[in-house]
Amino acid sequence: MTIRLTEHRLFKSILTGFLSFTLALLILFYVNAIISSSGSYPTSLRTILSLSSTSSTIVELPSASERCRQLLGADDILVIVKTGATALRERLPVHFQTTLQCTQHYVVYSDMEEEFEGHHIHDVLSGVSAEMKKSAPEFKFYRDLHENRDRVTEFMREDASVQRKAWRLDKWKFLPIVERALQAKPNAKWFMFIEADTFLVWSNLLKWLSQLDSGKAYFLGLPVTMEGQLFAYGGAGWLLSQPAIQRMTHHMASQDDDYEHFTNKTSFGDLVLGYVLEQAGLRLTGVWPLIQRETPSTMEYTKDLWCYPVVTFHHIDSPDIKSIWDLEQEWLADTQATLLHFDIFNHLVYPRLATKIDDWDNFSHGEEVVLTSDEGFEDCKLLCEKDVLCMQFRFTPKKCTMSHAVTLGWKADPSINSISGWMMERITQIKASVRCEGEKWISID
């Protein structure tokens, strides 16, 4: 009997130990799963099992798109995407997969009405007067486009000048897009205008606008002056508050014909927009580097830039859009911190720098030194080393160009024999010394 009781206790002890071991493994597995995620989650919901001795609870964490849709202020903003039928097939899909998942209200305007990947695309030029459509040379392409609407992709391949014609037609979209935007969401507090190759850091836009008074008439963007006219560079993105868009549309309502003729004799649509807004009593407020025209690869990174939040990039392709959006979602999942230019540099640019990259142009544009035919890349590097502020250099036959800023750049034509180099030790030291005490937003009176 004693032997049987001992065996029974031994069995219970083994069973208890096995259950405790299994429970420990389960806890270790889920803790490891949480830690290894580094604060980011996949696009589908992750379920986490809450272990206790009495019950199990399923906790669902939001997906990336759900997190960014829950941000405060989203209902107050209309995002307007300006594109064209010859560009949207290549450029729009990545926006539908990234930022436009976050925005509660957006509309896409083009030069042809159509359905694309389940989204309605509006023809913003449909309201241009019949007289102007007949007389303005750019509308010859508009008519050709509509006549070939069932074979747009093929139509694009047939004529190498199609994109140039599409660009010329684009100037006609800037004024009607403002009127149509107000009609699309009359109660919006803010109207954010971007192009199909503009990336919008949605979470930063919301944080920025929460600090501004939407009851004031604001026209915000990247200032450019051409032909004596100040205007916002279109591709960088530009913003109108509710009072500003109301004032502009009221002003335009009495002068439609005049502004159509003004557009007809002007080459740039964003210049036309700047002129009309100025006539309506609205002057542009520059907000660089929140809104700017570069990509992470072409940006000049200096100490003056690090701590500013980034709201837009321009001329950006799909892979880069996806990379920045993924980084933004990691930020939201982790601490909901503001994504700074330093963060973009630290995660997307710095890892790609090197002491030497062949067939590469890093856009060094500072001091230029003429070299002899016997001098090469290493001699150029020595010149950069002697200048304590030099961060990078570029060697081409018989020339060395140095720069105090850091830029990644892009691949160069091999025939140019361009070799780029970065002073990695200096750049690493500067990167380690960056301390952003709060975010440097643009103050607007």
Side-chain angles (χ1 to χ4, degrees), residues 244-262:
I245 200 170
Q246 289 280 6
R247 189 187 300 182
M248 178 181 170
T249 53
H250 290 160
H251 174 77
M252 287 173 58
S254 61
Q255 310 206 26
D256 276 345
D257 292 339
D258 290 345
Y259 287 138
E260 279 197 347
H261 285 92
F262 180 74

Side-chain angles (χ1 to χ4, degrees), residues 155-332:
F155 174 58
M156 291 166 56
R157 295 195 187 106
E158 287 177 359
D159 190 347
S161 65
V162 162
Q163 293 301 335
R164 188 163 57 251
K165 294 175 183 176
W167 179 82
R168 289 171 181 162
L169 179 65
D170 189 73
K171 73 175 185 177
W172 288 97
K173 301 172 187 173
F174 280 81
L175 295 188
I177 207 172
V178 174
E179 295 177 297
R180 296 282 292 271
L182 182 57
Q183 295 167 11
K185 187 170 171 56
N187 63 337
K189 293 181 179 179
W190 296 98
F191 298 80
M192 180 76 210
F193 297 82
I194 62 172
E195 300 190 357
D197 60 348
T198 308
F199 179 75
L200 178 63
V201 182
W202 178 244
S203 57
N204 280 4
L205 175 68
L206 295 180
K207 289 180 182 179
W208 178 35
L209 295 185
S210 70
Q211 304 174 38
L212 304 181
D213 183 355
S214 62
K216 293 183 178 181
Y218 284 125
F219 172 32
L220 310 174
L222 175 67
V224 176
T225 301
M226 189 177 295
E227 300 176 9
Q229 179 62 51
L230 177 69
F231 59 95
Y233 178 73
W238 44 283
L239 268 161
L240 291 176
S241 62
Q242 170 72 225
I245 200 170
Q246 289 280 6
R247 189 187 300 182
M248 178 181 170
T249 53
H250 290 160
H251 174 77
M252 287 173 58
S254 61
Q255 310 206 26
D256 276 345
D257 292 339
D258 290 345
Y259 287 138
E260 279 197 347
H261 285 92
F262 180 74
T263 303
N264 193 29
K265 63 182 182 181
T266 307
S267 299
F268 306 99
D270 38 11
L271 186 154
V272 173
L273 177 75
Y275 173 77
V276 174
L277 282 163
E278 190 174 281
Q279 294 300 304
L282 294 157
R283 188 163 179 83
L284 172 68
T285 299
V287 288
W288 183 94
L290 276 63
I291 289 179
Q292 46 81 39
R293 64 192 298 175
E294 303 298 335
T295 72
S297 297
T298 61
M299 200 80 187
E300 287 189 352
Y301 290 97
T302 66
K303 64 180 181 180
D304 296 328
L305 183 71
W306 295 131
C307 297
Y308 281 99
V310 55
V311 174
T312 64
F313 286 107
H314 184 224
H315 286 315
I316 193 160
D317 59 18
S318 296
D320 281 345
I321 286 176
K322 186 63 167 58
S323 296
I324 302 170
W325 190 78
D326 286 343
L327 183 60
E328 180 189 7
Q329 302 319 300
E330 288 182 18
W331 250 235
L332 290 175

Side-chain angles (χ1 to χ4, degrees), residues 35-235:
I35 293 173
S36 65
S37 68
S38 300
S40 64
Y41 308 106
T43 55
S44 60
L45 291 176
R46 172 181 285 133
T47 58
I48 296 182
L49 185 63
S50 177
L51 297 172
S52 72
S53 59
T54 58
S55 65
S56 295
T57 305
I58 300 298
V59 180
E60 292 189 341
L61 298 180
S63 67
S65 60
E66 288 175 327
R67 278 195 306 275
C68 64
R69 284 183 65 85
Q70 295 168 359
L71 299 175
L72 294 177
D75 191 48
D76 297 330
I77 303 172
L78 177 68
V79 175
I80 304 97
V81 183
K82 179 172 68 64
T83 185
T86 59
L88 65 84
R89 283 152 182 77
E90 178 182 349
R91 294 178 178 174
L92 274 187
V94 70
H95 291 287
F96 293 140
Q97 297 159 13
T98 56
T99 304
L100 294 183
Q101 291 188 47
C102 304
T103 59
Q104 294 183 17
H105 309 286
Y106 68 88
V107 61
V108 182
Y109 291 116
S110 179
D111 39 32
M112 190 169 72
E113 198 95 2
E114 59 179 310
E115 296 292 327
F116 178 71
E117 295 191 355
H119 302 269
H120 188 73
I121 313 299
H122 301 266
D123 179 4
V124 75
L125 299 177
S126 60
V128 176
S129 69
E131 175 192 351
M132 195 56 69
K133 284 181 178 177
K134 183 177 180 180
S135 61
E138 293 84 11
F139 282 95
K140 167 64 167 62
F141 174 74
Y142 180 78
R143 292 190 295 273
D144 291 343
L145 185 65
H146 283 244
E147 290 170 4
N148 293 273
R149 62 179 303 115
D150 295 331
R151 45 189 291 269
V152 172
T153 304
E154 181 183 351
F155 174 58
M156 291 166 56
R157 295 195 187 106
E158 287 177 359
D159 190 347
S161 65
V162 162
Q163 293 301 335
R164 188 163 57 251
K165 294 175 183 176
W167 179 82
R168 289 171 181 162
L169 179 65
D170 189 73
K171 73 175 185 177
W172 288 97
K173 301 172 187 173
F174 280 81
L175 295 188
I177 207 172
V178 174
E179 295 177 297
R180 296 282 292 271
L182 182 57
Q183 295 167 11
K185 187 170 171 56
N187 63 337
K189 293 181 179 179
W190 296 98
F191 298 80
M192 180 76 210
F193 297 82
I194 62 172
E195 300 190 357
D197 60 348
T198 308
F199 179 75
L200 178 63
V201 182
W202 178 244
S203 57
N204 280 4
L205 175 68
L206 295 180
K207 289 180 182 179
W208 178 35
L209 295 185
S210 70
Q211 304 174 38
L212 304 181
D213 183 355
S214 62
K216 293 183 178 181
Y218 284 125
F219 172 32
L220 310 174
L222 175 67
V224 176
T225 301
M226 189 177 295
E227 300 176 9
Q229 179 62 51
L230 177 69
F231 59 95
Y233 178 73

Side-chain angles (χ1 to χ4, degrees), residues 423-437:
M423 307 302 291
M424 294 305 299
E425 185 174 346
R426 292 178 182 176
I427 295 171
T428 302
Q429 289 176 351
I430 289 175
K431 187 173 78 72
S433 68
V434 173
R435 297 290 183 273
C436 294
E437 302 296 334

